[in-house]
Amino acid sequence: MSDKESAPASRGARPAVHPAAPGPHTAAGQRTTADQRTGAVHPAGPLVAIGITCGIAWAAGFRSYMVELVGPASTFSWWGTFGAILLPGAIAGGLLGWAEALRRAGGRRGWRWLALAPLALAIAPLIMPGAVAALLTEGLGGGAIAVSLMGIGGGYALSRRGPLWARLVCGLVSAALAAALVLAGPGIAGARLAFTEPRGAWFAVLTASFIVVLALASSIPHRTARSGDHTTPDRTAPHRTTPDRTAQPR
């Protein structure tokens, strides 16, 4: 067949059209958009549960610090141990876990106030009957306040956010309070917790490590929030092609 005979057929033929990619208004496009949004939102429940668990573990472990200071005279009670120590640990851990969930989701207004979560460690013991009077007259309970301040200040110092001088001040104050807690061992218990003895060295490592862990967890609300997930178009999806009109005979 000659070129002249094939020309009319070429003019009358319609260009091949591939199936169009699912757009934002199609059902498939709506499902894809919904999946992307669901993947971009991080559920807070699991992270809050992890935070609560870590907070309880931290508070239960730090209770051994108090036992070492007091010695055999240390006692346990439902309110004093669970209500004033473990419960605030769970609250602080849960709030910091929530802060991590919000950070992964891009943050929201006022979410950085969760950096004050360690204050739960200081407020709960003061609710006990006579605790405020004992704090003002005998200084009892000041250690819990110092621990909270160390967590807040240390978290800000480790966050890499804010003015350098402010982070240095918070870091130095937190380090000074941490040193005071460590030195309280031999200062209160005497030779039993001397740093030259294995038990005293263990006590110093225990105290310092718990303070560092608290500061690291408290730095979560100061960290940079993640931006929304950005997805690139799927180039392997079917798409509409434009026929090459230059190749068609005229």
Side-chain angles (χ1 to χ4, degrees):
M1 183 180 293
S2 63
D3 294 338
K4 293 182 179 180
E5 295 175 353
S6 61
S10 300
R11 294 192 189 98
R14 299 178 63 182
V17 179
H18 295 278
H25 300 291
T26 62
Q30 291 176 355
R31 287 196 300 269
T32 303
T33 304
D35 293 341
Q36 292 175 358
R37 291 177 180 177
T38 303
V41 177
H42 300 270
L47 291 175
V48 172
I50 293 174
I52 292 174
T53 303
C54 293
I56 293 175
W58 185 92
F62 199 73
R63 179 65 175 86
S64 60
Y65 168 86
M66 308 173 193
V67 173
E68 288 298 317
L69 282 181
V70 179
S74 178
T75 59
F76 291 81
S77 64
W78 289 112
W79 170 247
T81 302
F82 287 85
I85 298 177
L86 299 186
L87 178 60
I91 294 175
L95 291 177
L96 292 175
W98 185 30
E100 175 62 15
L102 295 177
R103 188 189 71 85
R104 295 185 182 187
R108 66 172 60 173
R109 178 173 300 184
W111 75 283
R112 296 195 185 277
W113 284 104
L114 293 174
L116 300 178
L119 284 179
L121 303 173
I123 296 175
L126 295 178
I127 301 178
M128 298 180 62
V132 177
L135 174 64
L136 297 177
T137 58
E138 303 177 17
L140 298 178
I145 299 176
V147 170
S148 300
L149 294 179
M150 279 185 294
I152 297 173
Y156 181 68
L158 296 175
S159 65
R160 298 181 180 180
R161 179 177 175 271
L164 178 60
W165 67 266
R167 288 186 281 119
L168 287 176
V169 171
C170 290
L172 291 175
V173 173
S174 300
L177 293 175
L181 286 184
V182 173
L183 295 174
I188 296 176
R192 182 170 59 88
L193 293 180
F195 297 149
T196 55
E197 299 294 330
R199 187 167 186 169
W202 163 80
F203 175 84
V205 172
L206 173 75
T207 307
S209 60
F210 268 78
I211 294 171
V212 172
V213 169
L214 179 61
L216 288 173
S218 301
S219 68
I220 292 175
H222 295 292
R223 298 175 187 173
T224 303
R226 293 183 181 180
S227 58
D229 295 339
H230 299 282
T231 56
T232 56
D234 186 4
R235 300 183 183 277
T236 61
H239 59 281
R240 184 183 298 272
T241 58
T242 303
D244 186 5
R245 300 184 181 278
T246 59
Q248 296 182 4
R250 297 181 179 178

